[in-house]
Amino acid sequence: MSIEYFTEDALSDWMRSDAPDSDVVVSSRVRLARNLTSQPFPLLATTSQAADILEQIEKVDLNKTYKDEKFEWIKLDQLTELQKRVLVEKHLISPNLVNDSRAGAVILNKNQSVSIMINEEDHIRIQCLYPGFQLEEAYKSANAIDDTFEEALPYAYDETKGYLTTCPTNVGTGLRASVMMHLPALVLTQQINRILSAVTQVGLAVRGLYGEGSEALGNLFQVSNQITLGQSEEEIINNLYSVVKQIIEHEKAARQRLLNESQKRLEDRIYRSYGLLKYAVIIDSKEAAQRLSDIRLGIDLGMLKHLPHHVANELMNMTQPGFLQQKFAEKLSPEERDIRRAELIRNYLLSYSNDSNEK
Amino acid sequence: MLCQECGKRPSSLHFTKIVNGEKTEFHICEACAREKGEIPGAPNGFSIHSLLSGILDFDPMMGKSITELKPQESIRCSSCGMTYTQFSKIGRFGCSHCYTTFGNRLNPLIKRIHGNIAHSGKIPKRSGGQIQKKRQLEQLKLNLQMAISEEEFEKAAQIRDQIRELEQLNNEV
């Protein structure tokens, strides 16, 4: 495997597979924050101290524990600016790691469901991403990697405060579990704010993905736990699980109601968006996100039968600015980018369509 | 009623502000409220760290706002050199030892964030061996009390033996 292996494809392998509740839940993510006792946290660590952390972690041979997996080490200074940006757009590394880290690195497995960041806000951040609604699986996998590291490394742990982290909002379990949801019907029927404000009442946070502030581009929302101390890992996961389960039911009910009450209008909206994406010459990222949300809904409702399920995910990633720039290997102005984006989407949709199977 | 800010859209938010005992009523629309940052509970670009530092601007041990403290009065972490004043400004710790240095004065903040001050989740296997034994012992003692109160003396005797065994094991280590 090379660095290019991780930056060339818009879609991580894990996103291609079929998964439970994947018509509403795009992905489930679990992150564990861990620190070592031997050095200051990355915030204060000098370059040589950060390098020492990296060295200590490098000694842990994940490939030995996971015989069937292949883990790849990538140090941040091996990457070009563009490659960094693509990895950020694929959510494999955080903007924080790119901008603020000294001796930053990331460990990725082959299908990119595991990403371990070194010297981000904390010394170690283990992140596991699963397609669809698989919180427990994601936690199990992160937990196992955590055990492997713990065997070899001196963790900063306090009897009453739990795992010690740079930010007091992560102390305790160091666990952040989040679920990315596609909620177009709740947005269309204007129930979303009511539901989201209810969610924040029970210690969970919601934010829009790709959007700024509370605006959610492409109707994608991320629901995650806020509390990391005083609840066990199982409690945190179960709490999030049961709330997300309810949101899924609400979204499905809203979709059914839309189908019952205004099927023609819904069809019109979806096929219009499809037509627009198929023929547009210039499209900005905001509009693309909205239209792709319609496409995603159309596929999930069985309207665009000729398109496979991962199309919306793939196009969403492919049309991000960094990825576009990499794909066309040149520096693009915003307008050129909008032209290339439209071109990319057109060709992509064309590759799946021939008139006989289109309706 | 129309929004009293823009006078165009109907007002949908009605609230009363009391500042220094003076009461003012507002009737504004959502768009204007968002602009003024008046929607309660809505995110308005505050970073979590700046919010934290608001909570932290008070040293419960010294009984005054930390901005009034002289630098030498602020407690300093012996391991990484971060002072409590610095921590309260950036809302992040310098190293794991800071937690010990700042000790109990962190509790109000942590309670504010998590509603709790004690971890009840995972214990690391290697470094947490002692803690694990301690929790196990506590649990056994609790079970013992329960067995006694339910008059299950046979079970109680068993648990008592288990506790003895564990304590002996701990003493040997």
Side-chain angles (χ1 to χ4, degrees), chain A residues 52-113:
Chain A
D52 175 63
I53 293 287
L54 196 62
E55 212 173 291
Q56 284 191 56
I57 298 168
E58 240 172 329
K59 285 190 191 130
V60 183
D61 192 358
L62 286 175
N63 287 326
K64 210 169 127 194
T65 321
Y66 295 88
K67 295 254 184 307
D68 309 326
E69 267 297 1
K70 179 96 182 71
F71 286 93
E72 180 91 2
W73 268 82
I74 301 174
K75 288 181 184 148
L76 238 63
D77 51 23
Q78 295 174 291
L79 295 169
T80 65
E81 288 307 310
L82 197 56
Q83 286 173 325
K84 287 179 199 170
R85 193 160 168 187
V86 170
L87 291 182
V88 170
E89 284 170 5
K90 290 175 78 178
H91 305 284
L92 290 174
I93 61 176
S94 68
N96 241 342
L97 186 75
V98 172
N99 299 326
D100 299 328
S101 74
R102 278 178 289 270
V106 62
I107 310 171
L108 299 169
N109 69 341
K110 191 161 185 287
N111 73 0
Q112 301 162 51
S113 63

Side-chain angles (χ1 to χ4, degrees), chain A residues 164 271 281-282 358:
Chain A
L164 303 178
Y271 286 117
V281 177
I282 303 174
E358 204 157 300

Side-chain angles (χ1 to χ4, degrees), chain A residues 190-208:
Chain A
Q190 294 175 344
Q191 300 176 70
I192 191 79
N193 286 331
R194 201 166 45 80
I195 288 175
L196 295 190
S197 70
V199 166
T200 52
Q201 307 265 312
V202 292
L204 301 178
V206 189
R207 60 189 192 89

Side-chain angles (χ1 to χ4, degrees), chain B residues 67-78:
Chain B
T67 34
E68 292 165 21
L69 282 177
K70 296 187 192 80
Q72 60 268 33
E73 279 185 284
S74 186
I75 186 166
R76 183 183 285 273
C77 175
S78 62

Side-chain angles (χ1 to χ4, degrees), chain A residues 108-160:
Chain A
L108 299 169
N109 69 341
K110 191 161 185 287
N111 73 0
Q112 301 162 51
S113 63
V114 178
S115 126
I116 304 162
M117 287 187 280
I118 317 291
N119 285 326
E120 208 243 22
E121 189 181 273
D122 296 294
H123 290 147
I124 304 176
R125 288 209 158 180
I126 304 164
Q127 174 181 279
C128 291
L129 259 164
Y130 274 63
F133 195 25
Q134 304 191 74
L135 267 181
E136 213 157 299
E137 289 76 1
Y139 174 67
K140 269 188 198 141
S141 140
N143 195 33
I145 293 171
D146 181 43
D147 287 341
T148 312
F149 277 137
E150 203 260 328
E151 259 171 50
L153 300 167
Y155 269 174
Y157 183 86
D158 177 86
E159 196 174 324
T160 51

